[in-house]
Amino acid sequence: MGRCFPAFPLLLLCLASVILVAIAQNYLPTDKILLDCGATSDVTDTDGQKWTADKGSKFLASSVNSSIAPAATQDPAVPQVPFMTARVFRSSFTYSFPLAAGRKFVRLYFYPASYGGLNASDALFSVTAASYTLLKNFSVAQTTEALNYAFIVKEYSINVDGGTLNITFSPSSNSLKAYAFVNGIEIVSMPDIYGSTDGTLMIVGNTSPFTIDNSTALENVYRLNVGGNDISPSGDTESADPNMTIESPVPPYIAPLDVYSTARSMGPSAKINVNYNLTWIFSVDSGFSYLVRLHFCEVASNITKINQRVFSIFLNNQTAEDQADVVAWANQHNGVPVHKDYVVLVSGGSPQQDLWLALHPNTDSVLKSMFYDAILNGVEIFKISSPDGNLAGPNPIPAPKQEVIDPSLVRPSSGSGHSKNQKAIIAGGVGGGVILALVIGCCVIAASRRHRQGKEASK
Ligand SMILES: *[C@@H]1O[C@H](CO)[C@@H](O)[C@H](O)[C@H]1NC(C)=O
Ligand SMILES: *[C@@H]1O[C@H](CO)[C@@H](O)[C@H](O)[C@H]1NC(C)=O
Ligand SMILES: *[C@@H]1O[C@H](CO)[C@@H](O)[C@H](O)[C@H]1NC(C)=O
Ligand SMILES: *[C@@H]1O[C@H](CO)[C@@H](O)[C@H](O)[C@H]1NC(C)=O
Ligand SMILES: *[C@@H]1O[C@H](CO)[C@@H](O)[C@H](O)[C@H]1NC(C)=O
Ligand SMILES: *[C@@H]1O[C@H](CO)[C@@H](O)[C@H](O)[C@H]1NC(C)=O
Ligand SMILES: *[C@@H]1O[C@H](CO)[C@@H](O)[C@H](O)[C@H]1NC(C)=O
Ligand SMILES: *[C@@H]1O[C@H](CO)[C@@H](O)[C@H](O)[C@H]1NC(C)=O
Ligand SMILES: *[C@@H]1O[C@H](CO)[C@@H](O)[C@H](O)[C@H]1NC(C)=O
């Protein structure tokens, strides 16, 4: 599996940049800052984006409490910019960004190398942005090892009232050797696309409405282009019929068209489909609520009417939607993107838990759906800040070494590449049949457990 995994974040990063580009095309960000921490001169990354050196930058009140250093080593999966330099902090350090009011994506870039002779394992630190705790006792080395990533990008969405956004890095106080570092900071204005103050957002398995407003910060933990390139191709991946025009989502910055032009469905056999659930499993931190945004677009040219493909959506085994009908949601059109938001509470217990997303054909005899099938084009999962403004979870635990497993079965996913406590696992979606589905489902789950606990065989 080796090289395959560390490359993942890059792929995911690409997906994120696609989304960013989609945003950029239709929305003019008022703020766009790319800060290459530890760099002494401005540089351009492989996407042609210009990163500003943070040496002597106006965003640093002073360089007291910090030093700059290059990475001692470069993993082949790690891009030069912004990862090959870092700013290292032995005590609390604040960057101050003057910003216009509104929501911002804040992305923090980390590569666990040795900087200035320090041991990467000793980097343990907290990060706060305005009044939010983004990371606490965070170990880049442990997190990337557990997820088998070469580097990590954490993505947040934070509302700024205007004026200054302070981002503070503080080494953990419980270890004398602890230090903090960061390779890059990106801040981009974004439209308020995840907010809901109108009471329409519901907690799954509960009738209470849920509000996401200016005081809510979000962390993107998964971003999955279902059926698209970051998932292993399979017979169940449907592409839009060549003659079908996929309309732009409204508003267009909701997601790039690519997300909607590929989908995953259950397979051609109704008999098989009614006997299994098309299932995705995401490992998430306990003790938080999650916003699950599902993207749909009917890509089959022969499904044009209500009641042709009706299915149920389960989140953590609770019914989120009993009669999902994408064509009905899209005002009786195929090729029209729609998205639906759900909130799932993942209460305490073990530090990390699995969040289950499952789709099953609706076989209601009164409803009489024409096809027993289900479809999904994309998934985004966001951790919602707790009432005290916290988004930090524990470091994932690397697993003991295990035998090599087929990487095509396990795909760490998403969070715009970044983030991740994770590996999203695609179980199900097996054209073959129940047994195959079960077998693969089990493998995938088993694989995910091993994978969660560690990086195997990558080097
Ligand atoms: C340096 O660290 C000290 C102690 O953590 C903190 O009080 C001070 O504000 C820091 N200075 C800067 C410029 O960040
Ligand atoms: C949310 O914040 C934005 C930017 O600061 C502001 O324009 C908007 O009015 C705020 N919305 C509410 C409901 O307070
Ligand atoms: C870094 O620290 C870890 C854990 O304390 C230790 O296992 C490792 O050998 C150290 N690496 C180096 C290069 O000293
Ligand atoms: C901080 O993280 C390290 C590495 O995961 C762990 O060993 C330590 O127990 C944690 N400390 C606290 C106070 O959570
Ligand atoms: C941001 O940090 C600077 C320097 O530490 C401080 O002077 C300023 O008051 C802070 N601003 C806010 C809004 O917290
Ligand atoms: C697409 O349209 C062309 C021209 O109208 C037609 O010849 C072709 O059969 C269509 N393909 C499909 C898959 O419907
Ligand atoms: C709908 O189209 C798909 C592929 O184009 C085909 O496999 C399926 O049999 C069609 N269904 C019906 C009912 O025509
Ligand atoms: C959902 O059901 C599956 C299989 O029945 C079970 O393994 C899993 O723990 C359940 N998840 C939750 C959150 O209840
Ligand atoms: C699909 O998932 C739901 C919710 O967890 C469960 O009630 C149902 O039994 C599952 N169906 C199959 C065929 O696994």
Side-chain angles (χ1 to χ4, degrees):
M1 62 189 346
R3 295 280 112 210
C4 181
F5 277 94
F8 253 110
L10 202 55
L11 244 179
L12 300 165
L13 209 53
C14 291
L15 180 59
S17 14
V18 171
I19 290 190
L20 251 195
V21 169
I23 289 176
Q25 278 166 358
N26 309 286
Y27 166 85
L28 274 185
T30 45
D31 292 300
K32 184 164 164 58
I33 294 167
L34 288 164
L35 193 63
D36 189 2
C37 303
T40 50
S41 58
D42 295 358
V43 283
T44 304
D45 66 17
T46 47
D47 291 336
Q49 299 201 93
K50 195 175 160 214
W51 291 70
T52 311
D54 87 333
K55 185 157 189 228
S57 151
K58 62 179 174 185
F59 306 125
L60 288 74
S62 88
S63 51
V64 174
N65 292 354
S66 79
S67 56
I68 61 177
T73 51
Q74 181 174 13
D75 184 295
V78 176
Q80 179 81 21
V81 180
F83 295 106
M84 284 303 114
T85 56
R87 187 168 286 273
V88 176
F89 318 107
R90 302 309 300 254
S91 56
S92 172
F93 184 90
T94 300
Y95 283 97
S96 298
F97 298 95
L99 299 171
R103 271 210 176 254
K104 316 289 163 187
F105 279 126
V106 174
R107 296 197 177 91
L108 305 175
Y109 292 73
F110 300 106
Y111 171 46
S114 171
Y115 300 97
L118 294 168
N119 185 330
S121 303
D122 293 332
L124 277 177
F125 55 96
S126 302
V127 180
T128 60
S131 58
Y132 303 101
T133 301
L134 307 184
L135 294 163
K136 209 186 289 170
N137 192 42
F138 178 56
S139 169
V140 179
Q142 185 177 329
T143 304
T144 50
E145 183 185 348
L147 303 173
N148 216 346
Y149 289 169
F151 61 88
I152 199 161
V153 183
K154 294 293 229 170
E155 178 185 291
Y156 303 90
S157 165
I158 295 171
N159 188 68
V160 174
D161 286 333
T164 305
L165 174 66
N166 277 354
I167 301 186
T168 301
F169 293 80
S170 314
S172 289
S173 52
N174 28 12
S175 160
L176 280 177
K177 286 192 281 183
Y179 67 94
F181 75 96
V182 64
N183 301 96
I185 301 176
E186 176 179 359
I187 301 177
V188 187
S189 299
M190 61 178 284
D192 190 4
I193 48 178
Y194 305 115
S196 153
T197 46
D198 57 3
T200 51
L201 206 50
M202 287 290 173
I203 300 174
V204 174
N206 197 309
T207 49
S208 339
F210 192 95
T211 300
I212 290 181
D213 60 19
N214 277 352
S215 68
T216 316
L218 302 168
E219 177 186 353
N220 178 275
V221 291
Y222 289 94
R223 187 170 280 143
L224 204 63
N225 180 7
V226 178
N229 287 332
D230 53 339
I231 291 178
S232 62
S234 104
D236 304 311
T237 297
E238 276 187 53
S239 291
D241 284 324
N243 286 359
M244 179 136 109
T245 310
I246 306 285
E247 286 181 17
S248 285
V250 181
Y253 45 70
I254 286 290
L257 266 190
D258 277 7
V259 168
Y260 293 105
S261 58
T262 55
R264 185 167 289 255
S265 62
M266 300 188 76
S269 166
K271 256 198 228 137
I272 291 169
N273 294 354
V274 296
N275 282 309
Y276 84 100
N277 282 341
L278 187 54
T279 305
W280 287 259
I281 302 168
F282 304 92
S283 175
V284 295
D285 291 338
S286 299
F288 289 93
S289 302
Y290 290 85
L291 170 68
V292 178
R293 170 165 289 186
L294 304 180
H295 296 270
F296 301 97
C297 178
E298 185 49 75
V299 294
S301 58
N302 53 2
I303 297 187
T304 54
K305 298 197 185 70
I306 287 178
N307 250 354
Q308 288 189 303
R309 169 148 46 186
V310 185
F311 54 95
S312 302
I313 301 172
F314 303 103
L315 281 162
N316 268 355
N317 302 339
Q318 307 263 11
T319 306
E321 204 77 62
D322 185 40
Q323 300 176 11
D325 186 331
V326 176
V327 171
W329 285 337
N331 287 320
Q332 305 210 41
H333 286 99
N334 58 9
V336 175
V338 290
H339 67 267
K340 292 279 170 183
D341 291 339
Y342 307 94
V343 172
V344 179
L345 308 183
V346 178
S347 48
S350 51
Q352 268 116 16
Q353 290 178 48
D354 289 336
L355 193 163
W356 289 57
L357 163 63
L359 309 182
H360 189 260
N362 184 311
T363 55
D364 187 279
S365 57
V366 178
L367 190 68
K368 285 209 180 69
S369 174
M370 185 182 288
F371 304 114
Y372 284 172
D373 199 357
I375 185 171
L376 182 65
N377 304 66
V379 184
E380 290 175 282
I381 300 183
F382 299 88
K383 188 195 269 183
I384 299 172
S385 59
S386 62
D388 62 351
N390 182 47
L391 279 167
N395 293 312
I397 311 289
K401 291 202 170 188
Q402 297 280 347
E403 74 268 35
V404 174
I405 44 173
D406 181 352
S408 67
L409 294 179
V410 187
R411 297 265 153 149
S413 154
S414 118
S416 8
H418 323 146
S419 29
K420 348 296 349 328
N421 287 356
Q422 32 235 4
K423 83 269 120 196
I425 300 310
I426 300 100
V430 184
V434 194
I435 294 186
L436 189 52
L438 270 177
V439 168
I440 296 205
C442 292
C443 290
V444 165
I445 291 164
S448 90
R449 305 231 181 262
R450 290 175 199 169
H451 185 59
R452 156 167 340 148
Q453 293 148 15
K455 140 191 233 159
E456 43 272 69
S458 101
K459 303 257 149 102

